[in-house]
Amino acid sequence: MLRIFASDAQVEQMESWVKTGSTPQAVVLRSMIILEAHRGRSDKAIGQSLRISQPTILLWKRRFIGGGPDALTHVAAGRGRKPKINRRKIV
């Protein structure tokens, strides 16, 4: 189990993302994972309350440790919606 330590400023930023209606839901979920972990909840409890898998929890905990709250906003290459327009039509 990875321990999460977040500064007051980091906690404040993530809580703001959770409360703001315009924050993408992926960022809200990631923030909730980290906030719950910061508060000392176990991975199992976080997974049950947010209905997510243990590997997902570990992934976002590692990314947060490596890059802070900003790491929660990044989309990895190859992820996300794929373009629907054929490349030949763009040219």
Side-chain angles (χ1 to χ4, degrees):
M1 184 167 112
L2 291 173
R3 302 272 300 160
I4 296 295
F5 299 101
S7 69
D8 291 341
Q10 290 174 326
V11 169
E12 187 176 311
Q13 172 147 35
M14 290 183 287
E15 285 177 342
S16 171
W17 287 341
V18 170
K19 292 176 186 173
T20 303
S22 61
T23 305
Q25 289 303 299
V27 175
V28 171
L29 178 63
R30 297 165 190 170
S31 297
M32 291 170 67
I33 292 167
I34 300 305
L35 288 169
E36 292 296 317
H38 171 73
R39 293 178 182 128
R41 291 194 68 194
S42 70
D43 291 352
K44 185 176 180 179
I46 294 169
Q48 288 175 341
S49 68
L50 298 178
R51 295 183 178 163
I52 54 175
S53 68
Q54 300 299 307
T56 299
I57 295 167
L58 290 173
L59 168 75
W60 292 108
K61 287 169 99 175
R62 286 186 187 120
R63 289 195 184 173
F64 178 81
I65 290 169
D70 289 338
L72 304 179
T73 64
H74 294 280
V75 177
R79 298 292 179 189
R81 178 178 275 171
K82 307 295 184 243
K84 290 186 177 189
I85 300 174
N86 187 322
R87 286 190 150 264
R88 287 184 283 165
K89 289 184 179 179
I90 295 173
V91 178

